[in-house]
Every structure is written in structure tokens, then in C-alpha cells.
Amino acid sequence: MLVLSFSFAVFHRVLRYSTKPLSTVSHIKSSSHSPIPLINPLSLSPSHHQRNKHTQQHRQLTSMATTLVVATTSDPASINPANALLSMPSWQPGPHFQDDMKSFVNKGVRVLLHGKSIVVEDDLDKRWEEITGEVVDEVIFFSKHTAVSNKPALTVHPIGVPHLREGDVPPQGGKPGWAALPNPRIGPWLRHLRKLAQSHNLVPEFEITLEATHHGPLTNKPTMFLEIGSTEDYWKREDAAQVMAQLVWEGLGLGGGTDLGNWSRENDKKKVLLGIGGGHYAPRHMDVVLKDDVWVGHLLSGYSLPMENINQSEGQTNMEIGGTWRESIKAAYEATKSAFPGGEIIAHLDHKSFKGWQKKAITGFLEEQNIKIGKPNNFIEY
């Protein structure tokens, strides 16, 4: 195990605690909730006795898988949910990661705060493993959501830019042709988010929805984004931040309950939706996912399936249709398959979003790749 090979000096450096204050954002008072307490790491600075106790605990935890929850102080829709989560019981200062970041620990969960754009810090999971010796099991990001409509929304989605060609510059992180492993919790957490939002009277004001696969940063473990949208006023809404924090608290079982969306424990229901086609908010796929026991993999909207109809003749084959749609589907499928070992990956098409020649090409390619195509009823478990 990596941590066992550390020298005493390196191990001591890894475990030392940083006490630089966090940068935070000012609060805008919500009509229905009091301001979120801002967490100052100085208040969590351990005594010598506590430091030794935390060191012993950390040595015990390096053998267990951990969850990274990542937020940035530069985004109120990111730092506010993180602060709300850190205001809940039992958080302690975490191991030193790097000088411009802070970490906090609670059971198997690590909250990591930095000050950059949420989509630019690549390979945080890999870097965390290399520095701390802990094994990262999954990564969850808090972030803002933007939309042309400016409508309030709470969203959940996988990440990646599988449709971009080599040499393209991703506008929001990632790398061309890459799809992150989708976090298996996406489906169960979306359904739980709806319940939490309703109980906190955020519905119908806020739409609770999936988003299609998009943007970075690069990760190596199952990943999902939790976002608050879609304007600055909504990004700073404290009631929305509380709901997102509660989702993570309950979803990871930090309050003592059973965590939600644990594929290794709950995979007796093995059907996993791979969404293909439709708009950014995946309405046809949402109809299926809102049913209990449906797992969610990647969701490829129309813009992630670039298709160039080179030959309009009736006899054309898939090979005569240009664009990176094949590569996008293949990358999304392989990542979904890796994230759900033993799962039955089923492609669900938004048929009405395709022209006839597009649907023919896509279904033909799926059959060539031995990827099962399903209708809504095919996702029902009996």
C-alpha cells in the first residue's frame, strides 16, 4: 500500500494541518432560511493532543475508500453548499494537500476547498491518492449552473467532452474524446434531491433535473456535479445551498443512515440507462430515470453527437456519415460500463430528436457495437 512506503518525515508532512483562513463569500439573506454559518478553519485547529488523535485516525482511514467533495471559494453556488455541509457535526481538519487548498474530514468523506474555477483543477482524485495514500472511490463537485433561460434549477450530471476531436480546445475543461466514469449515485440522488427540494418548498420555483454530459475537470474515479442555477441571485440562495448540503449529508450516510446509490451494495437491479439524443436537460431520459431503481450513466445530448450527412442517398451506410458521433457514443458507453461493473447498459434514444437518417445510423452503430437498445418499459425491474 502506498502509505506504508512513506518515510516518517514525508508522512509527518502529509498529515500536518494548515490553519490559513478560508476566503468566503458574503451572504444574501433568503426569505425562508437564516444565513449559512461560514466555517473558519482556525476554529477547527487541533491541539497537540487532538493532532495526535487525528493522526492515528488518519492512519486507520488510509486503508478505506474515500469520497472527495470538491468546492471553490470563487463560486457562491459551490462554497455555500460546502459551508452548509461543514456546519454539520463531526468535521475535523484534514491532511495537508497543497498550500492553496484546505481539507476537512468526516468518516470516509473529504471536503476539499480551492480558489480556482471548478473545472480547471485536473486529476484531484489521483493527486489526493498520491499525497495522502488514501484510496479515492468517487468525486462530487458543487458548482453553479448557467442557462439562457435564467430559470432557477438544481441539477445533477456526469461530465466529459467525448464529442470533441483531438486538437480541439474544450471550453470548460476536460480533454477531447474523454468521458469521466459517471457516478452511480446520479439516479438515486436525483430522485432524493426532488424529495428534499419539495420538503424545503423549493418546488415548483426550482426545476430539479438532470443535465447532459458536459465539461471537465479531468477525473479518474466516478464523478458527478451538483449545481445550483441559473443566475447570481439563485447561486447565492441559502435555502438551495442547504438542500444541496443535505443531499450530500444524507446521500453519503454521514448522519448515521445508509448511503444512497451504492452500486456495490444495491446492484441487484442491474439496468443502467445510457441516454442518447435530445436536449441538454434530457427530458425523455428524465421520464425513465424518475422511476425507482433506474441507474444513470452518460447522457449524450444532440450537441454531443455531431453528424455530417455526406451522402443523402438511400443506400448510404454508417461509414458515409461524418462527425464524431461514433467516438462519442463509444467513449460514453465504455465509461458507463466501467462505472457499473456487472451492469446491463441499455441505450435509451430520444427518437423524436433525430431525423430518419440519423436514427438509422445510430441504431445501426449500436447494433454493430452490441449495445442493447431499450424502450422505457425495458427499464422496469420486476
Side-chain angles (χ1 to χ4, degrees):
M1 187 174 178
L2 178 60
V3 70
L4 297 180
S5 66
F6 281 2
S7 68
F8 179 82
V10 174
F11 195 68
H12 178 75
R13 177 179 61 81
V14 167
L15 291 173
R16 67 183 172 89
Y17 295 93
S18 177
T19 57
K20 295 178 182 178
L22 289 175
S23 60
T24 54
V25 296
S26 60
H27 290 285
I28 293 181
K29 290 188 177 180
S30 165
S31 59
S32 57
H33 284 259
S34 59
I36 298 167
L38 295 178
I39 303 303
N40 183 348
L42 289 172
S43 67
L44 295 176
S45 299
S47 65
H48 178 73
H49 172 73
Q50 290 173 322
R51 184 188 300 273
N52 290 336
K53 180 181 178 182
H54 297 159
T55 298
Q56 293 171 1
Q57 292 172 339
H58 183 73
R59 285 172 176 154
Q60 295 171 353
L61 289 171
T62 52
S63 62
M64 65 183 290
T66 59
T67 296
L68 274 188
V69 178
V70 184
T72 173
T73 58
S74 66
D75 171 9
S78 183
I79 190 59
N80 283 1
N83 274 328
L85 181 62
L86 290 171
S87 72
M88 296 175 183
S90 302
W91 291 98
Q92 300 290 343
H96 178 264
F97 181 58
Q98 62 186 55
D99 289 343
D100 60 346
M101 297 191 187
K102 300 288 182 291
S103 74
F104 303 89
V105 303
N106 189 344
K107 299 181 181 179
V109 182
R110 311 289 180 261
V111 169
L112 186 61
L113 306 181
H114 65 76
K116 299 179 181 178
S117 166
I118 199 71
V119 299
V120 302
E121 282 284 1
D122 290 337
D123 298 315
L124 283 172
D125 47 3
K126 182 179 179 181
R127 290 154 54 194
W128 182 270
E129 290 182 337
E130 290 173 348
I131 292 175
T132 69
E134 294 184 335
V135 177
V136 176
D137 194 51
E138 61 184 330
V139 190
I140 300 167
F141 292 88
F142 288 129
S143 178
K144 65 184 177 184
H145 170 67
T146 59
V148 175
S149 68
N150 291 333
K151 291 181 179 178
L154 304 179
T155 78
V156 185
H157 72 87
I159 64 173
V161 283
H163 62 293
L164 296 185
R165 300 178 187 271
E166 186 174 354
D168 289 346
V169 178
Q172 294 180 304
K175 66 179 180 181
W178 163 81
L181 300 181
N183 193 317
R185 299 188 194 274
I186 290 174
W189 280 31
L190 174 76
R191 294 187 286 270
H192 192 59
L193 177 59
R194 284 171 63 91
K195 295 176 183 177
L196 289 174
Q198 289 169 349
S199 68
H200 285 74
N201 299 315
L202 291 182
V203 177
E205 180 184 12
F206 282 77
E207 182 180 5
I208 315 303
T209 183
L210 291 169
E211 288 184 78
T213 298
H214 66 303
H215 69 63
L218 291 178
T219 58
N220 307 276
K221 301 299 176 72
T223 301
M224 66 175 166
F225 263 62
L226 306 177
E227 300 188 1
I228 299 173
S230 300
T231 65
E232 187 170 0
D233 285 346
Y234 294 117
W235 298 338
K236 294 181 178 180
R237 280 278 291 269
E238 292 154 1
D239 47 359
Q242 291 283 1
V243 165
M244 285 305 206
Q246 195 70 29
L247 175 65
V248 173
W249 180 261
E250 295 180 6
L252 294 178
L254 288 172
T258 303
D259 63 317
L260 304 175
N262 187 322
W263 172 254
S264 63
R265 188 185 64 240
E266 303 172 21
N267 65 4
D268 54 317
K269 307 292 187 180
K270 295 183 177 295
K271 295 182 178 180
V272 183
L273 181 145
L274 173 65
I276 297 180
H280 182 71
Y281 298 99
R284 299 288 181 271
H285 309 313
M286 276 281 293
D287 292 342
V288 177
V289 172
L290 289 178
K291 300 174 183 175
D292 289 339
D293 303 323
V294 176
W295 300 90
V296 181
H298 274 291
L299 302 166
L300 299 178
S301 66
Y303 61 77
S304 291
L305 297 165
M307 304 180 78
E308 301 164 3
N309 191 359
I310 298 172
N311 187 346
Q312 290 278 2
S313 67
E314 289 294 325
Q316 69 182 13
T317 65
N318 292 346
M319 297 303 294
E320 294 170 306
I321 298 175
T324 58
W325 59 280
R326 298 179 197 82
E327 291 81 0
S328 186
I329 291 173
K330 196 166 183 179
Y333 172 76
E334 293 297 336
T336 300
K337 186 176 179 181
S338 296
F340 293 89
E344 181 184 3
I345 314 302
I346 304 175
H348 180 260
L349 276 63
D350 184 339
H351 290 279
K352 293 184 178 180
S353 69
F354 296 116
K355 296 179 180 178
W357 62 271
Q358 292 174 317
K359 183 164 66 174
K360 180 179 178 181
I362 289 172
T363 55
F365 179 72
L366 293 172
E367 290 168 359
E368 290 171 7
Q369 298 295 310
N370 295 314
I371 300 174
K372 183 176 179 180
I373 303 172
K375 297 180 179 180
N377 288 341
N378 297 130
F379 292 89
I380 299 175
E381 299 276 6
Y382 297 99

